Amino acid sequence: MKAVAAVIVVAAVASACSVSGEAVPTPDLSSKAVPSSDFPYGAGQPVPSAQVPGILADITFRPMRGRNDPADCTPAAVDTATAQVRVGPGGPAQGTLTAMVVRATDSFDDFLSEARRCTEFALGGTVGTAVATTVDAADPSAGTVQLERRLRMGPAPSAQDQSAQPPSSSVTEFVAQQGDVRVYVQNRRPGGTALGADELAATRTLFDAARASAFGG
């Protein structure tokens, strides 16, 4: 994933059509997005609306087409229309930092249960990409979790042992949820490089800022 170019965003309340055909307001999350200036290694830039569906697929590991393998490791959908995504440069690991606030269709408990159950799955809609997930720390009472993900190229896990193949990229992921509002902060970098203490702390600080923006406090 590459940092996107800066764009001018006009905050407006989007609208959709109800079953009756009347326009109904769609909740605007722009005020809940973490400020671009809170990114630690350079300003986070808003993702253009045309690119949001693809970026959401990368962040959530829910393919735009098809299902993951196993199928029950396909994450529940999030609301593309109201998602607010910022992407900025990463630190020494030469990756990117992504912060997103979005409306989820499943509970935090369901999200955490899937992360614990789906320790390895193959991404749907791609040519042989396996994702291995480790739950590093979780606080269900606070609705927060830290995940480590390793992506590897190759056949599905059922066809070949993926553990022998080096990761093509790694993701340190923080997630928080209150009600149906969910926050993601991801540090994605090439290879299997672990984050240094300072970069991990900077990623966590961005997550704390994103939580405060989304939930207050």
Side-chain angles (χ1 to χ4, degrees), residues 92-178:
Q94 301 300 307
T96 56
L97 278 167
T98 303
M100 175 173 75
V101 58
V102 68
R103 296 199 178 270
T105 60
D106 59 336
S107 69
F108 176 78
D109 287 344
D110 288 342
F111 174 88
L112 181 57
S113 176
E114 181 186 285
R116 286 173 165 160
R117 183 182 75 254
C118 297
T119 57
E120 192 151 13
F121 58 90
L123 284 175
T126 61
V127 181
T129 302
V131 181
T133 300
T134 302
V135 178
D136 265 12
D139 185 352
S141 64
T144 63
V145 64
Q146 177 186 347
L147 306 171
E148 291 292 333
R149 301 189 190 266
R150 299 291 183 266
L151 281 64
R152 295 180 174 88
M153 302 303 295
S158 58
Q160 181 176 325
D161 180 13
Q162 297 291 317
S163 63
Q165 297 192 20
S168 57
S169 59
S170 300
V171 180
T172 297
E173 175 180 327
F174 293 93
V175 178
Q177 185 168 336
Q178 291 186 15

Side-chain angles (χ1 to χ4, degrees), residues 66-81:
R67 297 178 67 81
N68 293 339
D69 180 16
D72 65 354
C73 290
T74 305
V78 295
D79 183 23
T80 303

Side-chain angles (χ1 to χ4, degrees), residues 21-73:
E22 297 178 356
V24 295
T26 301
D28 181 12
L29 296 180
S30 60
S31 64
K32 296 182 178 294
V34 65
S36 294
S37 58
D38 283 348
F39 281 68
Y41 301 109
Q45 304 297 341
V47 172
S49 58
Q51 297 179 19
V52 166
I55 294 292
L56 260 64
D58 286 343
I59 295 170
T60 64
F61 299 98
R62 176 184 171 88
M64 295 176 67
R65 292 170 292 278
R67 297 178 67 81
N68 293 339
D69 180 16
D72 65 354
C73 290

Side-chain angles (χ1 to χ4, degrees), residues 2-9 36 43-48 51 85-88:
K2 297 181 179 179
V4 298
V7 295
I8 298 175
V9 176
S36 294
Q45 304 297 341
V47 172
Q51 297 179 19
V85 191
R86 306 283 185 270
V87 179

